[in-house]
Amino acid sequence: MRERNPFIGMHLIMLLSVAALMLMAATAQADISRFVGSYEGSAEVISADGSTIPRDMSVNISETDDGFNVSWTSTTYRPNGTSKVKSYSIEFVPSERSDVYSSAMKRNVFGHEVQLDPMKGEPYVWGRIDGDTLSVYSLFVAEDGGYEIQQFNRTLAQGGLELEYQAVRNGVIQRKVTTFLEKQ
């Protein structure tokens, strides 16, 4: 009877592991490719008190070597005629869960991109793709231990994306918006 070489089995396992990781990366690229593009639109943001505030919004979704990037800008127009512009850009990489992505928002001492720390007032951010919807979630932990969670749902639609945004603080909706973002 012939003896089997244990190194061949280990080599095969390593090759299969590398193939699985490559397939996961390819799947992330394939899923996000449907969302890739630049989109723009305007909306009335509804505040907790029922008042509305006009806002222009844009988002750019692009593929990266390891996953994808979502960059967005919102311009809020105040009643006194001034405006406030906020811009964000977040890299996402595949997690161990199918269609769930970790944010990679800063580099650690080894140069690897890692999540921010919500216990230091930084947002904990993740994303997921569920059918035709790309969702981005941001969780903030307040000084007093309360929380705010923001959810951006961007759903594929003819000619662009349907955007649904909601901010909830300690169970109470603070801001809400639904609008269409036209693909540029």
Side-chain angles (χ1 to χ4, degrees):
M1 185 157 87
R2 198 170 141 193
E3 286 187 34
R4 294 182 185 228
N5 185 338
F7 293 110
I8 292 175
M10 288 174 34
H11 183 57
L12 182 59
I13 290 171
M14 286 177 30
L15 283 174
L16 290 173
S17 297
V18 169
L21 288 172
M22 290 173 63
L23 182 61
M24 279 180 25
T27 300
Q29 296 292 336
D31 286 342
I32 198 62
S33 66
R34 300 178 304 134
F35 296 91
V36 168
S38 295
Y39 305 86
E40 294 180 1
S42 297
E44 296 287 321
V45 176
I46 303 169
S47 298
D49 64 4
S51 64
T52 60
I53 302 167
R55 189 174 288 184
D56 288 338
M57 293 170 274
S58 64
V59 63
N60 184 57
I61 302 168
S62 60
E63 295 181 68
T64 64
D65 290 341
D66 297 325
F68 61 94
N69 176 279
V70 179
S71 299
W72 68 97
T73 299
S74 69
T75 304
T76 303
Y77 299 98
R78 298 180 180 135
N80 67 5
T82 63
S83 62
K84 182 176 182 179
V85 177
K86 290 185 179 179
S87 295
Y88 305 91
S89 184
I90 301 175
E91 300 276 331
F92 292 91
V93 295
S95 72
E96 294 178 9
R97 298 177 180 180
S98 177
D99 296 325
V100 177
Y101 302 88
S102 300
S103 67
M105 296 175 64
K106 70 178 182 177
R107 294 193 184 276
N108 65 14
V109 294
F110 302 107
H112 299 119
E113 292 190 345
V114 295
Q115 289 268 3
L116 297 178
D117 185 348
M119 290 302 160
K120 293 181 179 174
E122 301 169 331
Y124 185 83
V125 181
W126 71 99
R128 77 175 181 158
I129 296 174
D130 184 15
D132 288 338
T133 302
L134 168 62
S135 298
V136 173
Y137 304 90
S138 300
L139 173 66
F140 300 85
V141 178
E143 277 293 317
D144 66 359
Y147 73 92
E148 181 171 317
I149 188 160
Q150 298 178 2
Q151 180 175 346
F152 293 84
N153 291 333
R154 296 176 177 102
T155 302
L156 294 170
Q158 186 171 346
L161 297 173
E162 290 289 339
L163 170 69
E164 292 180 1
Y165 166 80
Q166 183 170 284
V168 176
R169 184 176 299 139
N170 298 324
V172 178
I173 296 173
Q174 300 297 305
R175 290 175 306 286
K176 195 174 184 179
V177 65
T178 302
T179 193
F180 179 76
L181 302 176
E182 184 177 354
K183 190 164 189 176
Q184 302 303 299

